[in-house]
Amino acid sequence: MRSLREKVAHLPTEQREKLATFVRAVPPSLRYGPVFQQSLRELRKARTVPSWAAAEREHRLGQLLSSAAGTDYYGSEPGYEALREAGDDPLERLSRLPVLTRGALSKNSLRMLTVPEDRVQLTATSGTSGDPILFHLDRERGAAEWAYVYDAWHRATGYELNDWRLFLRGAADLPGGANHYLQRATGELVLRVQALGPECIREQWGWVRDRGIRYLHGYPSALSYMARLVEEQLPDDDWRHQIRGVLAVSEEFTPGEQETFERVFPNAGISNFYGLSERTCFASMDRDGTFRSEPLYGITELLGEDGQPVEVGQRGRIVTTGLMIQGQPFLRYDTGDSAERVGTDAWGQPTFRDIRSRRGREALIRADGSLFATTSLNVHGHQFLCIRRFRFRQDVPGKATLRVEPTADAAAEELEDFYQVMRWRTEGQVELDFELVENLEIPPNGKDRLVDQHIEGATATWA
């Protein structure tokens, strides 16, 4: 069942805004609907009563496994015999299933459906890999998902459902091809990431200040870029001290970005969570950078290359089983990401940190064809103050160009210092050239990349 907010959000822009006054007048408890309210109660109960959550999770997993056993794919493929052992412990049965790859998922999505095709929606995503996959999601899912997002934002920043947000979007289709649009029905000032720049920031930040917006929502790279522009171009503007929340989503969140947010918006809480387009995991980040998976959203495993759970301090691939989405079960789905295990939560799931993509192109290629991980290239500290953003471009193995968009007052010696720091970090790995540019273009989807990789077949295997 869709909430009023979800129905309105899916309307064409013109129709949606005609209803804005009515929608905003409806109390949030009614606007977001019963599914939202029930999901919010359950996820909060799970957090406060772990024993109830453990029993409820086991019950929902058992139902999911039984449902999957009746599908064409899970019911016939080798390795899924445990699905038909209905009397055994669901978690133990799950542990005996094979890990589902992205390729198998995309190829067999229709064969995995537990409901008629008209009750699901075909979805495509490429994550950070540039390698699209296809799968199906329940059509009626938005209200429950919003409960998890709202809860994460509220706990970290105090965000309430009626609060306005600046929403930095990449692939934003705005009326008339505009760079920004005020969506009163959803309480969002939408700004295209590609429109950010030093020549526009005074006007753009003025929209935020004049509307009294205290929450900034979008990709961490875009939010960080805006923060640096505000700091540089508007040093005497006090509204940045009124920002109460930075809602960073859909990208890797780096220590350098966190440092920028804490400096530019000193009174803001920071919310970041690990989520997937496939809707199999939702894990909020603590202040210390530890991610904790919500037990009723899905089941998370960290597995080593041998397929066994990793120990604390070890890195493992993130494998997830979604409990929210029933129309197409994702059983032990390999997300393509890895993380370091920190500990174990109250439901036996790993807590983790330092999430990295194992299939993405966020790596430089040495002359011998091997991968050089970019973790050490995420800069924070005084060397970063002279630049707005930077990127590596690589066209041949063993060589790369550090492309930098400097601040307006960047001194030549500061930029040289930054270049030398990066040369030192890549010494013996790749030969690094240096290029200053007026503006680093952002991809159409609005997600910035650290490495603009142009070597065919250059993908990471294990981060």
Side-chain angles (χ1 to χ4, degrees):
M1 177 181 178
R2 281 191 176 182
S3 64
L4 174 61
R5 183 202 180 279
E6 190 179 1
K7 288 182 179 179
V8 171
H10 284 83
L11 291 174
T13 302
E14 295 77 7
Q15 294 183 34
R16 180 175 62 237
E17 292 310 298
K18 288 179 180 178
L19 299 172
T21 301
F22 164 72
V23 172
R24 297 291 289 182
V26 176
S29 60
L30 297 177
R31 188 191 317 157
Y32 285 78
V35 173
F36 173 88
Q37 297 295 338
Q38 179 181 349
S39 299
L40 188 60
R41 286 194 299 269
E42 289 179 343
L43 72 89
R44 289 176 172 175
K45 181 178 179 180
R47 193 175 299 128
T48 55
V49 189
S51 59
W52 175 83
E56 183 66 17
R57 182 180 65 160
E58 182 175 323
H59 172 68
R60 295 184 185 188
L61 177 59
Q63 289 184 318
L64 181 69
L65 297 182
S66 296
S67 179
T71 66
D72 180 37
Y73 179 80
Y74 291 118
S76 62
E77 287 293 310
Y80 289 99
E81 293 78 13
L83 291 178
R84 294 180 286 278
E85 300 170 6
D88 294 344
D89 175 66
L91 287 169
E92 192 278 330
R93 289 160 60 200
L94 180 69
S95 70
R96 290 190 275 127
L97 302 182
V99 172
L100 178 64
T101 65
R102 288 164 57 88
L105 170 70
S106 192
K107 181 180 179 181
N108 298 287
S109 182
L110 278 173
R111 296 179 59 206
M112 297 176 179
L113 296 187
T114 64
V115 297
E117 195 172 346
D118 62 0
R119 289 177 54 186
V120 293
Q121 180 181 25
L122 182 63
T123 306
T125 184
S126 61
T128 58
S129 69
D131 182 19
I133 60 171
L134 300 174
F135 51 89
H136 291 81
L137 296 177
D138 299 354
R139 289 187 180 275
E140 306 294 329
R141 64 183 185 276
E145 290 171 2
W146 257 107
Y148 282 89
V149 173
Y150 163 68
D151 179 74
W153 288 354
H154 177 75
R155 284 188 293 120
T157 73
Y159 174 84
E160 297 291 355
L161 293 171
N162 266 342
D163 287 331
W164 275 80
R165 290 173 283 125
L166 172 70
F167 189 6
L168 290 177
R169 290 186 57 184
D173 185 14
L174 302 180
N179 282 327
H180 75 281
Y181 189 75
L182 196 64
Q183 294 190 161
R184 294 176 176 85
T186 54
E188 299 166 340
L189 170 59
V190 181
L191 175 62
R192 293 181 67 247
V193 170
Q194 291 83 355
L196 283 174
E199 68 283 354
C200 303
I201 191 60
R202 184 173 298 275
E203 179 183 25
Q204 292 166 341
W205 189 249
W207 301 332
V208 174
R209 182 184 60 248
D210 294 345
R211 291 206 64 84
I213 294 175
R214 301 174 188 269
Y215 292 91
L216 311 179
H217 172 203
Y219 303 137
S221 59
L223 292 170
S224 177
Y225 182 52
M226 169 175 263
R228 295 186 62 77
L229 289 176
V230 169
E231 182 180 47
E232 173 194 334
Q233 301 291 323
L234 307 169
D236 298 324
D237 190 293
D238 288 335
W239 189 254
R240 63 189 181 94
H241 295 279
Q242 301 300 318
I243 299 302
R244 293 292 177 262
V246 176
L247 315 174
V249 298
S250 299
E251 266 185 351
E252 180 184 357
F253 181 55
T254 69
E257 289 163 346
Q258 180 165 346
E259 184 179 275
T260 297
F261 297 146
E262 291 174 347
R263 184 180 70 250
V264 180
F265 309 121
N267 298 316
I270 300 173
S271 175
N272 180 239
F273 56 81
Y274 176 67
L276 300 159
S277 298
E278 297 89 331
R279 308 301 198 272
T280 55
C281 178
F282 191 100
S284 297
M285 186 185 76
D286 293 347
R287 287 180 178 271
D288 66 355
T290 298
F291 289 86
R292 301 177 186 276
S293 300
E294 295 288 351
L296 300 185
Y297 195 99
I299 295 168
T300 302
E301 302 174 76
L302 287 183
L303 304 181
E305 293 186 89
D306 59 359
Q308 297 301 309
V310 299
E311 300 295 333
V312 171
Q314 294 181 329
R315 176 164 292 276
R317 54 176 170 163
I318 303 177
V319 174
T320 58
T321 297
L323 295 177
M324 288 279 291
I325 299 300
Q326 301 285 325
Q328 181 193 314
F330 290 76
L331 304 182
R332 304 197 85 199
Y333 171 62
D334 188 339
T335 65
D337 298 324
S338 74
E340 177 190 339
R341 183 166 189 165
V342 174
T344 304
D345 65 18
W347 307 279
Q349 296 188 123
T351 57
F352 50 95
R353 62 182 300 130
D354 191 20
I355 301 168
R356 306 177 198 168
S357 172
R358 299 181 359 255
R359 62 182 186 277
R361 300 188 175 187
E362 293 293 87
L364 294 171
I365 310 302
R366 301 183 181 93
D368 64 1
S370 61
L371 297 169
F372 172 52
T374 58
T375 306
S376 63
L377 305 181
N378 286 326
V379 175
H380 54 99
H382 71 278
Q383 291 97 352
F384 196 46
L385 299 179
C386 64
I387 67 174
R388 293 181 184 136
R389 52 189 172 190
F390 68 97
R391 188 179 304 150
F392 296 88
R393 179 183 172 101
Q394 188 169 34
D395 296 292
V396 296
K399 295 183 178 182
T401 300
L402 173 60
R403 307 184 74 224
V404 168
E405 180 182 330
T407 60
D409 59 353
E413 57 269 24
E414 292 177 318
L415 293 170
E416 177 64 21
D417 181 39
F418 178 71
Y419 174 42
Q420 293 304 326
V421 167
M422 285 301 193
R423 284 190 64 186
W424 176 76
R425 294 188 180 197
T426 56
E427 185 177 9
Q429 310 297 322
V430 296
E431 181 182 331
L432 196 64
D433 293 328
F434 189 59
E435 179 185 359
L436 294 177
V437 298
E438 184 175 340
N439 182 56
L440 278 175
E441 293 185 357
I442 300 298
N445 67 0
K447 293 188 178 184
D448 204 356
R449 284 187 179 277
L450 181 60
V451 180
D452 182 12
Q453 186 60 262
H454 292 268
I455 299 177
E456 185 176 357
T459 56
T461 55
W462 184 264

